[in-house]
Amino acid sequence: MPDPATRDATIVRSALSGDIIDLKAATEVICSRTSSQIQHFKQIYYARFHAYLEHDIENQASGDHRKLLLACVSTMRYEGPEVDRVMAEADAKSLYKAGERKLGTDEKTFIRIFSERSRPQLTAISFAYHSMYGKSLKKAVKSETSGLFEFALLTILMCAENPGKFFAKELHKAMKGIGTDDSKLTRIVVTRAEIDMQYIKAEYEKKHRKSLNDAIHSETSSHFRTFLLSLLGAIHR
């Protein structure tokens, strides 16, 4: 497998310019990565495909979803651990005013805060929101937004709070129901294998009371199962 940044660039390029446009896959990758990871794969994206990531996003995405993706790939976010509690409360108040408190939604405020704040800061905002208004920020996003814009915001928020839990949820969604989403399963297992798969496996077992390996064994076809389990086999359970 190529290095993580090259994988990300290849996945996003295919999602935005392949025979089948997959905006959800592109959103998952972009919104689950840190600012430095995005900047790294942006450089590879241009070097390998002679195309600007921003241009491909502009051509394929639309509306507030496009605005959020463009903000995510162009904004350098702080990646340190420090948190500003006063700013977190102010942002929580701004999000409340932009969403649940008003008729309609001020999407610009959601885009600005979700694309500019660090992961620890977003976690602090989420905590402040719940403390101040008695409702989770996640539920507020679900009630005030929809479609790919909602998915993008939730991906950013959940990956700020607990990326292992987010990817465990996405893996479960890819396997439930009739048939499996082989593309999503492959994408997540391959891209997270050497990053945080041990945490994803732990979150999966905690939520579903069965191991991720067992779920893959029972829900996927034999040839595909062998491929996925061979990747997971190198990771300690």
Side-chain angles (χ1 to χ4, degrees), residues 28-210:
E28 177 200 290
V29 172
I30 292 169
C31 294
S32 65
R33 302 313 191 247
T34 64
S35 183
S36 58
Q37 288 171 335
I38 291 172
Q39 297 310 310
H40 189 190
F41 87 69
K42 266 179 66 177
Q43 294 174 352
I44 295 172
Y45 195 98
Y46 181 77
R48 175 164 287 208
F49 305 114
H50 308 291
Y52 289 104
L53 175 58
E54 293 88 342
H55 290 175
D56 285 347
I57 291 172
E58 287 176 353
N59 288 336
Q60 299 299 341
S62 61
D64 295 313
H65 176 237
R66 174 169 61 191
K67 292 175 185 176
L68 178 57
L69 291 186
L70 289 172
C72 287
V73 302
S74 62
T75 305
M76 286 299 296
R77 286 164 286 174
Y78 172 68
E79 294 184 17
E82 288 80 9
V83 167
D84 186 329
R85 303 289 178 186
V86 175
M87 180 183 286
E89 291 181 0
D91 282 344
K93 187 175 182 179
S94 294
L95 290 169
Y96 181 71
K97 287 182 176 180
E100 293 185 286
R101 189 178 171 182
K102 74 190 299 281
L103 183 64
T105 307
D106 176 8
E107 291 84 0
K108 289 181 180 179
T109 297
F110 279 84
I111 292 170
R112 174 178 59 81
I113 292 173
F114 275 67
S115 66
E116 294 180 3
R117 303 297 183 253
S118 70
R119 287 184 169 183
Q121 190 68 26
L122 274 172
T123 300
I125 293 168
S126 180
F127 180 82
Y129 194 98
H130 189 272
S131 297
M132 295 163 70
Y133 304 111
K135 184 176 181 179
S136 74
L137 181 55
K138 180 180 175 182
K139 287 183 178 179
V141 168
K142 287 183 175 182
S143 66
E144 295 297 323
T145 62
S146 61
L148 287 168
F149 183 51
E150 175 192 344
F151 177 70
L153 291 171
L154 290 175
T155 301
I156 293 169
L157 180 59
M158 291 182 70
C159 285
E161 295 180 331
N162 188 339
K165 187 175 181 179
F166 168 77
F167 284 109
K169 182 177 181 179
E170 290 301 302
L171 284 169
H172 180 69
K173 285 160 63 175
M175 289 186 283
K176 74 177 183 179
I178 300 174
T180 58
D181 186 340
D182 292 354
S183 178
K184 175 182 274 192
L185 283 171
T186 303
R187 180 174 66 250
I188 294 175
V189 171
V190 168
T191 59
R192 310 309 294 186
E194 57 202 23
I195 298 174
D196 56 1
M197 185 54 73
Q198 68 272 29
Y199 299 109
I200 295 170
K201 294 172 84 172
E203 289 290 344
Y204 192 96
E205 189 158 357
K206 178 181 176 182
K207 174 70 175 178
H208 303 289
R209 298 185 178 182
K210 68 187 298 187

